[in-house]
Amino acid sequence: LVGSEEGSIDVYDCRNGYRRVGSNDMRHSTTVTGLDISVDGQFVRSCDGTGEIVYWRLPLAAYQGRTIELRDTRWATQSCIFGWDKKAIWTPGLALNDVNAVAVSPSGRVIATAEDSGSTRLFRYPANASPQDAACKNYRGHSSAIPSLTFTCDDRYLLTTGGYDLCIFQWRHLRQPSRGETQAGGGGM
């Protein structure tokens, strides 16, 4: 999957020489900011700079208008910054372009945000509490906007990339124990 600044989304078959597949109908009216694919590979969700979320059925790249049918879909990736499972990250005062990226930890317990302010915030996942009631931990280190971030596959670190400061930060992720675990320590970085 490739999303462009012009708003188009292209699907390529990596098993067949990266041949472009699907139609030219997968597009937004503005820059594509996130693309996710379902675990079963049947659906794509995309979001753009206006806050629009669109769902597509593969392999034909057909628009999926009945989003209620996708409410229990499991997603293999989590790059869209909008969605019911992310509504708590939009605390009062944030504009649509203040959150640049999100990353859900491999354990599925937390979601981190990369923000224009240079902050990284950590919320419980899914972050579907009301934004006014959502508790989060705020971490600063970068001197300017953070364009991207990701958790390592072992869930031990969060990596953030700075924009103007040209830095890559490695944050140690301290996992909070789940109910029944006796591991010492709290959550956070």
Side-chain angles (χ1 to χ4, degrees), residues 51-160:
E52 179 182 40
I53 305 172
V54 180
Y55 295 87
W56 313 91
R57 181 183 294 278
L58 294 177
L60 302 175
Y63 172 75
Q64 179 70 25
R66 295 188 42 82
T67 58
I68 191 73
E69 296 171 1
L70 299 173
R71 72 173 174 246
D72 297 324
T73 300
R74 291 184 39 236
W75 297 96
T77 59
Q78 292 283 349
S79 69
C80 287
I81 62 175
F82 306 108
W84 74 268
D85 56 339
K86 299 170 184 101
K87 75 177 186 177
I89 71 172
W90 296 99
T91 53
L94 281 182
L96 288 179
N97 60 350
D98 286 341
V99 176
N100 300 318
V102 295
V104 175
S105 66
S107 66
R109 292 182 179 190
V110 296
I111 183 171
T113 62
E115 301 185 9
D116 263 1
S117 65
S119 291
T120 298
R121 292 185 301 152
L122 204 61
F123 296 83
R124 291 185 190 272
Y125 185 79
N128 53 8
S130 72
Q132 294 81 0
D133 298 331
C136 72
K137 295 185 178 185
N138 191 22
Y139 301 94
R140 292 209 40 103
H142 291 282
S143 64
S144 62
I146 303 170
S148 65
L149 75 171
T150 190
F151 282 93
T152 56
C153 60
D154 62 5
D155 214 1
R156 293 180 55 204
Y157 297 95
L158 175 69
L159 306 174
T160 59

Side-chain angles (χ1 to χ4, degrees), residues 38-57:
S38 62
V39 169
D40 62 11
Q42 291 187 36
F43 297 99
V44 170
R45 76 175 162 194
S46 58
C47 60
D48 68 19
T50 66
E52 179 182 40
I53 305 172
V54 180
Y55 295 87
W56 313 91
R57 181 183 294 278

Side-chain angles (χ1 to χ4, degrees), residues 156-177:
R156 293 180 55 204
Y157 297 95
L158 175 69
L159 306 174
T160 59
T161 58
Y164 294 119
D165 64 16
L166 303 176
C167 294
I168 299 173
F169 284 15
Q170 177 178 291
W171 306 82
R172 189 170 59 153
H173 177 216
L174 304 174
R175 211 173 60 94
Q176 285 186 345

